[in-house]
Amino acid sequence: MAEKFDVEQRWPELFAQLDATQRHAVVQSLASAWHEGWTPNREDVENLTDRARGAIDAAEYRSRAHAAARRVVPVERRVFVRDVKPYEVPERLDDLKGPAGGVVELPHTVLWAPGGGRVDLDEEGGVGLAYRAVVAEGSVADQVAILNRDRLVAVWQELLLPRRARELWEARFPELRAAVSV
């Protein structure tokens, strides 16, 4: 089930007694958790469908869930790209000597966009677009050439970055973390 969410196809007998609304609620609940990395087993699905159709009350559902949680079961861990994607980080913030404003040309390896990678850092949203792309996709050479140390520190808290990229940069440069908490 790690490749495809097929819970209804795997255990159709558990869904047979549910009406359309109940079925939808159960599938959505399971799918939401599955997208976060949890893989339901037959017992999990049976407990949830029993609760949805009223065969057990909330107390019994909680009791079953607690009992299942206490059992040690080997779990298959899904691997997400975000967990293994390599990010580059320069040695020093002072190495970032890019322009503080004006137009920068981002290489296709950093930003693949219709019309090319020209971004005006002085236009609204320009610095956020360029800096996010360079931090998340750029090599150290790209970062040194395009990012400006002072501008990066000033906008760091506003950048929408992948969590691991932010953690790596803040681990190397605690002053960025300090800028966020101010």
Side-chain angles (χ1 to χ4, degrees):
M1 211 154 76
E3 299 298 321
K4 179 181 172 193
F5 185 73
D6 61 355
V7 68
E8 277 189 278
Q9 292 77 32
R10 288 187 74 184
W11 302 294
E13 70 280 6
L14 298 178
F15 290 86
Q17 296 180 28
L18 300 179
D19 65 30
T21 302
Q22 293 167 329
R23 176 173 296 159
H24 180 73
V26 168
V27 169
Q28 291 304 307
S29 178
L30 293 168
S32 176
W34 181 78
H35 282 291
E36 292 298 319
W38 174 70
T39 302
N41 59 37
R42 188 182 195 290
E43 180 185 12
D44 299 325
V45 177
E46 183 175 10
N47 290 339
L48 194 55
T49 56
D50 283 352
R51 177 68 182 119
R53 65 184 172 83
I56 60 173
D57 64 7
E60 176 62 18
Y61 177 77
R62 278 192 304 278
S63 174
R64 289 182 184 184
H66 288 284
R70 284 189 295 271
R71 285 193 293 279
V72 177
V73 179
V75 177
E76 176 188 330
R77 171 122 164 72
R78 290 177 63 193
V79 177
F80 295 91
V81 171
R82 68 176 182 239
D83 297 330
V84 295
K85 181 180 188 288
Y87 295 102
E88 293 194 28
V89 183
E91 289 298 317
R92 302 175 324 126
L93 272 182
D94 289 337
D95 293 341
L96 305 179
K97 305 277 190 204
V103 176
V104 294
E105 185 73 38
L106 303 180
H108 285 295
T109 56
V110 172
L111 179 67
W112 184 261
R118 293 178 60 84
V119 179
D120 189 338
L121 299 175
D122 298 322
E123 287 186 5
E124 185 175 346
V127 74
L129 171 67
Y131 279 36
R132 180 204 182 285
V134 173
V135 168
E137 304 296 334
S139 67
V140 170
D142 296 324
Q143 294 163 355
V144 167
I146 297 167
L147 300 176
N148 176 279
R149 181 210 184 282
D150 294 336
R151 189 87 189 255
L152 178 67
V153 170
V155 301
W156 183 255
Q157 66 185 355
E158 300 164 16
L159 293 178
L160 299 173
L161 296 169
R163 182 177 54 230
R164 279 189 53 253
R166 181 176 295 280
E167 289 169 354
L168 288 169
W169 278 71
E170 289 178 358
R172 179 153 304 159
F173 309 120
E175 58 265 47
L176 293 175
R177 189 174 36 249
V180 171
S181 62
V182 172

